Amino acid sequence: MADLTTKTDISRQWRSHGRTRRSTRTVRVTASALITAATVLAVLVVPPIVQLDEQAIDLALKLRPPSPAHPFGTDDVGRDLLLRCVYGLRVSLLVGLVAALVATVIGTAVGAAAAAFGGWTDRIVMRLVDTFSSVPHLLLGIFIVAMFRPGVWPVIVSVALTHWLSTARIVRSEVLSLRSRPFVDAAISGGASRWRVTARHLLPAVLPQAGLAAVLMVPHAMWHESALSFLGLGLPTHQASLGTLVQTARGSLLAGDWWPTLFPGLFLIVPTLAIAGLAGAWRERINPRRRSELML
Amino acid sequence: MLELDAVTAGYDRRAPVFRAASLTLAPGESVGLLGPSGCGKSTLARVAALLHRPDAGRVTVDGEPVRGWRHRAPRRLRTAIGVVFQQPRLSADPRLTLHDLIAEPLRATGRRTEAPERVAALAAATGLTGDLLTRRPHEVSDGQLQRACLARALVLRPRWLVCDEMTAMLDASTTAALVAAVEEYRAEHGAGLLAVGHDRVLLERWCDRTVEWAGCAEPGT
Amino acid sequence: MKPDTVKPDAATSDAVRPGAVAPVLSVRELSVRFRMRGGRHIAAVTGASFDLAAGECLALVGESGCGKSVLASALLGLLPGNAQTAGSAVIEGTGGTDAVDLLTASERTLARTVRGRRIGLIPQSPAAHLTPVRTIRAQLAETLRALDRTPRSALPAAVTAAADRAAFPTGLLDRYPHELSGGLAQRAATALALVGDAPLLLADEPTTGLDRDLVHRTADELRRHTDDGRALLTITHDLAAAERIADRVAVMYAGRIVELTDAAAFFGAPGPRHPYARGLLAALPERDFRPIPGLPPELGDLPTGCAFAPRCPRATDRCATAPDFADGVACHHAEEPARA
């Protein structure tokens, strides 16, 4: 009967058990990535190549609806809206990126320091964070920009100084939970200094979280910038930003001219959603439960 | 000598996990500390490894009384005691390869030039072969990771070794291999051993003598 | 001579002991592999076949990473998305229900008719398995309502009865999981697993990290549930616990079952027949306390021949071809079977 024994490499009928939910997720991630890439490409490539003046005024062409020559129409002094939207997105994205970066660096440093030192340092720093957080962000932001002349840098400072608080909280709690792990005990036993434990073992472990917070903060910062500009406190009105575009177009909306507000609005909503979508995919990647799923 | 004298420790001063624990290890001696789970023997192991500050009592390492714990303990004392924990997954920094994991104490103490030679020797002693050293913890099994954790504990040539339930998660063959690696090191360097665990058969086979938790410490409140 | 074939026909398979009733669980050529990046595959389980009858306990032993937990996950339908399976794992029908192949059943079938009802899971760490914010009584009641549709009026009595079955003290039903000792938490988790009156219990490393006393108590309790007529598949690396509880032992190495035999013969005389199993037993501190040299092979890079050959004291040229599983052992140089 030995010939009937099971052969080791008979061709097996393999069945997959992957769930279909995956494909919709892939579509979402791909769409987000494409839109984000298109956005970045547009703001980086279009202004230097096209060499058109987004400030060019043509009063004969004021408030024209979308047409082949001006796909997004023109504004109340005849400037091309497509070009102004791209330039506006450029400013908003720049403000968003720089502000998010600055806020993340401040937040990570403060959060990590509070957790690493502990004791009174931790208590004082975190009460300070609580105090700042109790003031509405926009109000605090307005207070900060009001101290300077309108421009890009006051807006960046305003956004950064109001957004590092949540990152500080995230980083602090992550570091605190890591600090009690046996691998930190092992590092101490191996002669590592407090500084080395923080720099080599704790900070690298929280960087994915901090990076995720930073990416999620970009859309938030863009909206914050737009809100300030819309209120007339952000950038000077002649400078195209998505906020100032909507702000200057408010009047014509009442006259039934929809395009000067709709397109800047879409330029704000679609890229920010795409960036948030990418951040969501990243969060899923660094989620330890999903990571452990792939382990044996 | 590694001496713990009337040590009381816990995570809340008002409710210590245990009181008045006393234990003395002669140089080169191996002692097994037997106790049920949750009795506080892991906390005692952390005190002995200078990783947990006791609420009361004295710890003396080779005649030198310990005044600070964790980062406040002098590096010289901290590195005189190697420590291996129960769960290799939690005791390994997930971003380091096994090679870097083992070499990390050398780097932290400014002796990185010794790393290639020491890591190779210890990998051989603990049975880590092939490309395992280039992998990260999530790419190896619990047993392989615990071998690396033992190698890390031995890399600074400690005079004392504290093993807290080192083999509780491991199969019989890996357990025997790790114990053999510890004993080989001790035979070569004359290091003392405190092995904490609940497996009587294992500790009695492994150690010169075993101590019952009940005879060494009083329960806390 | 015993038939040395593993065939789908259970009656002639040597995986079933002579005279045993129809198996509760019948696993045939079960294989699981994981798709990795770059088209690589990791063969976590390869060609596992065994039967498990009511009132019988099979212990699946092996070192960490040998594929035994993956096998358990496959039986519960809890494999991750990148897993592929082959073979079958049929659980018998009870009370007029049809037999179900656990590997092909839909998630809906598994959730509604299998988990809890036909397979009770006794988890590795009961503390993590129990909901921390609800009392044991609330969790038992919820499970009873979900699985048995117990009417609200009958719940208090049913909860007490369910606790009794697992020897959980009824006086402690109103405690939260963190207020229980490890042993009591294990009993609470067992009580939950027993609620659906499943014919098959699956215990995944039920004794890891427990004290020796507690290991014995847990093993004895699991044994009692088996003697009540359930089939028990326990997955463990703890040979002492396996010896205390199992009727039969299946040794896994590098994803394959290399030996499947009676527990009494395995732990007592004449001992295991596969060199790996002999080495594993010899490594116990109460025996030789000598490790098997070397490390297990990578599941993503298995040799074409016998996976144990590089570590095996008996390896010869014949071992370059993989041995077939025959007569309860997969080895070219197995110890002579006991002459009964």
Side-chain angles (χ1 to χ4, degrees):
Chain A
M1 286 180 77
D3 54 324
L4 287 176
T5 50
T6 52
K7 285 288 168 278
T8 37
D9 275 319
I10 47 169
S11 58
R12 291 203 166 80
Q13 293 291 312
W14 290 103
R15 293 175 294 258
S16 287
H17 297 259
R19 289 154 211 135
T20 45
R21 222 163 11 99
R22 264 198 144 166
S23 59
T24 63
R25 195 164 64 200
T26 316
V27 169
R28 206 178 62 212
V29 173
T30 317
S32 300
L34 283 178
I35 293 172
T36 310
T39 308
V40 172
L41 214 64
V43 301
L44 285 183
V45 170
V46 170
I49 287 182
V50 176
Q51 299 275 329
L52 290 175
D53 184 5
E54 96 279 13
Q55 306 285 21
I57 294 175
D58 185 353
L59 285 174
L61 282 174
K62 70 174 195 179
L63 282 176
R64 291 290 168 92
S67 66
H70 301 284
F72 283 10
T74 59
D75 70 358
D76 53 354
V77 286
R79 292 178 290 201
D80 180 57
L81 266 173
L82 174 57
L83 205 55
R84 282 188 70 76
C85 277
V86 170
Y87 273 84
L89 186 59
R90 191 157 109 119
V91 171
S92 296
L93 201 59
L94 175 80
V95 171
L97 281 174
V98 176
L101 196 70
V102 173
T104 304
V105 170
I106 299 177
T108 306
V110 171
F117 286 101
W120 280 105
T121 325
D122 185 32
R123 262 172 256 179
I124 290 169
V125 168
M126 291 327 282
R127 286 304 80 74
L128 215 64
V129 169
D130 288 345
T131 312
F132 270 107
S133 304
S134 64
V135 185
H137 276 183
L138 197 56
L139 205 63
L140 196 60
I142 290 172
F143 180 74
I144 295 171
V145 281
M147 298 195 295
F148 302 96
R149 279 176 42 192
V152 172
W153 288 108
V155 174
I156 289 178
V157 168
S158 152
V159 177
L161 285 188
T162 48
H163 283 66
W164 61 271
L165 304 158
S166 56
T167 310
R169 283 218 182 99
I170 294 170
V171 169
R172 172 179 173 271
S173 66
E174 282 282 315
V175 170
L176 277 185
S177 86
L178 287 169
R179 219 171 55 146
S180 56
R181 298 271 175 88
F183 77 77
V184 172
D185 282 351
I188 295 172
S189 177
S193 63
R194 196 184 291 267
W195 163 248
R196 189 175 174 88
V197 168
T198 309
R200 179 134 171 104
H201 300 291
L202 297 179
L203 267 186
V206 300
L207 280 188
Q209 296 288 338
L212 177 65
V215 176
L216 277 171
M217 207 188 290
V218 172
H220 210 268
M222 286 170 70
W223 280 83
H224 200 99
E225 180 277 325
S226 299
L228 286 176
S229 298
F230 179 76
L231 292 172
L233 294 160
L235 301 174
T237 38
H238 68 272
Q239 191 167 8
S241 98
L242 297 172
T244 52
L245 285 177
V246 179
Q247 143 81 2
T248 47
R250 255 180 335 152
S252 39
L253 184 62
L254 292 174
D257 302 331
W258 47 269
W259 56 94
T261 43
L262 176 71
F263 289 115
L266 284 181
F267 261 57
L268 182 60
I269 292 169
V270 174
T272 50
L273 279 182
I275 295 172
L278 276 187
W282 184 9
R283 173 162 49 197
E284 218 151 88
R285 256 190 85 81
I286 63 174
N287 181 353
R289 210 183 60 204
R290 217 185 100 65
R291 223 194 260 162
S292 72
E293 257 188 13
L294 297 171
M295 284 192 333
L296 285 176
Chain B
M1 299 282 265
L2 179 61
E3 294 170 271
L4 287 89
D5 183 22
V7 167
T8 297
Y11 300 88
D12 180 349
R13 263 185 181 281
R14 287 157 296 180
V17 181
F18 58 84
R19 292 172 191 282
S22 296
L23 192 63
T24 305
L25 277 76
E29 186 188 27
S30 62
V31 175
L33 179 58
L34 274 165
S37 59
C39 69
K41 60 188 191 300
S42 287
T43 309
L44 185 75
R46 280 161 51 84
V47 172
L50 315 188
L51 290 170
H52 184 87
R53 188 162 60 88
D55 298 336
R58 277 198 317 277
V59 178
T60 316
V61 181
D62 298 319
E64 183 173 346
V66 177
R67 298 212 170 73
W69 269 264
R70 295 180 76 82
H71 290 298
R72 291 203 179 83
R75 180 182 272 174
R76 181 171 44 75
L77 279 188
R78 262 192 272 156
T79 55
I81 305 170
V83 55
V84 188
F85 300 101
Q86 177 177 6
Q87 294 184 316
R89 295 264 159 240
L90 300 180
S91 3
D93 188 330
R95 275 165 314 283
L96 301 183
T97 62
L98 296 202
H99 180 280
D100 290 346
L101 187 80
I102 299 171
E104 182 60 26
L106 288 174
R107 294 189 181 156
T109 50
R111 292 158 58 185
R112 63 176 63 226
T113 50
E114 298 173 39
E117 175 246 329
R118 283 296 285 158
V119 172
L122 283 166
T126 51
L128 289 170
T129 48
D131 70 336
L132 284 172
L133 289 179
T134 63
R135 297 202 211 165
R136 284 167 214 281
H138 68 95
E139 298 167 310
V140 302
S141 71
D142 276 0
Q144 291 162 343
L145 193 53
Q146 190 67 304
R147 287 169 194 257
C149 287
L150 173 61
R152 171 182 61 185
L154 300 180
V155 78
L156 293 177
R157 296 194 180 90
R159 295 191 300 278
W160 300 96
L161 203 56
V162 175
C163 298
D164 179 14
E165 298 269 18
M166 178 174 77
T167 61
M169 318 279 290
L170 307 176
D171 62 281
S173 175
T174 311
T175 299
L178 284 177
V179 169
V182 168
E183 288 308 305
E184 198 184 322
Y185 172 81
R186 294 203 322 112
E188 191 184 334
H189 293 88
L193 167 73
L194 174 61
V196 173
H198 61 246
D199 190 335
R200 179 178 302 279
V201 182
L202 172 69
L203 290 187
E204 283 179 351
R205 178 86 189 238
W206 179 4
C207 300
D208 298 337
R209 65 181 169 106
T210 55
V211 176
E212 298 290 331
W213 175 256
C216 138
E218 294 165 24
T221 43
Chain C
M1 174 190 159
K2 282 205 285 180
D4 56 3
T5 319
V6 180
K7 284 192 294 191
D9 182 5
T12 61
S13 164
D14 80 336
V16 175
R17 292 196 284 181
V21 287
V24 173
L25 176 69
S26 177
V27 175
R28 286 292 168 274
E29 283 295 306
L30 168 64
S31 300
V32 182
R33 66 178 184 180
F34 293 95
R35 273 180 289 116
M36 304 306 280
R37 279 194 198 135
R40 285 194 313 121
H41 285 100
I42 287 183
V45 180
T46 306
S49 299
F50 59 87
D51 283 321
L52 189 53
E56 185 188 40
C57 171
L58 174 66
L60 201 55
V61 302
E63 54 207 299
S64 71
C66 74
K68 54 192 196 302
S69 318
V70 175
L71 199 154
S73 305
L75 295 181
L76 289 165
L78 296 177
L79 288 171
N82 63 337
Q84 296 178 315
T85 60
S88 68
V90 177
I91 187 162
E92 69 156 4
T94 45
T97 53
D98 293 331
V100 173
D101 185 347
L102 299 169
L103 300 182
T104 53
S106 65
E107 173 59 29
R108 193 184 150 89
T109 314
L110 290 175
R112 296 203 170 178
T113 70
V114 175
R115 289 185 207 126
R117 291 187 168 85
R118 292 198 191 179
I119 303 180
L121 175 69
I122 296 165
Q124 176 168 6
S125 56
H129 188 73
L130 299 165
T131 312
V133 294
R134 306 192 59 193
T135 62
I136 304 301
R137 185 190 298 281
Q139 296 186 46
L140 273 173
E142 184 185 5
T143 313
L144 276 164
R145 282 183 67 79
L147 289 179
D148 286 359
R149 313 222 169 279
T150 310
R152 207 168 270 280
S153 57
L155 266 183
V159 166
T160 317
D164 272 342
R165 276 202 290 181
F168 185 87
T170 45
L172 303 180
L173 274 171
D174 289 312
R175 297 237 179 142
Y176 289 91
H178 66 90
E179 296 173 314
L180 298 174
S181 68
L184 285 173
Q186 182 63 263
R187 286 190 208 180
T190 310
L192 282 170
L194 294 175
V195 161
D197 210 15
L200 173 64
L201 292 179
L202 204 161
D204 185 6
E205 300 277 6
T207 57
T208 297
L210 298 183
D211 305 336
R212 194 48 56 190
D213 293 354
L214 212 47
V215 168
H216 289 170
R217 273 222 307 277
T218 307
D220 292 347
E221 276 167 26
L222 287 175
R223 183 68 239 178
R224 189 163 57 76
H225 299 310
T226 315
D227 293 337
D228 288 348
R230 292 182 180 82
L232 173 63
L233 177 61
T234 180
I235 287 166
T236 185
H237 66 248
D238 184 345
L239 292 168
E243 179 173 11
R244 200 171 176 96
I245 188 173
D247 297 305
R248 284 189 304 149
V249 181
V251 183
M252 270 187 100
Y253 184 73
R256 286 176 190 274
I257 295 182
V258 295
E259 180 158 6
L260 178 59
T261 185
D262 266 324
F266 185 85
F267 291 107
R273 295 178 52 207
H274 195 283
Y276 171 67
R278 295 185 78 83
L280 207 55
L281 272 191
L284 284 173
E286 53 266 52
R287 303 198 181 195
D288 295 349
F289 205 30
R290 196 172 346 149
I292 305 170
L295 292 176
E298 295 301 317
L299 292 175
D301 186 24
L302 289 176
T304 50
C306 172
F308 186 62
R311 305 172 70 183
C312 182
R314 301 181 171 203
T316 60
D317 293 346
R318 282 182 70 196
C319 303
T321 54
D324 297 321
F325 187 85
D327 207 9
V329 64
C331 179
H332 293 304
H333 308 288
E335 290 281 315
E336 282 301 301
R339 316 243 176 248

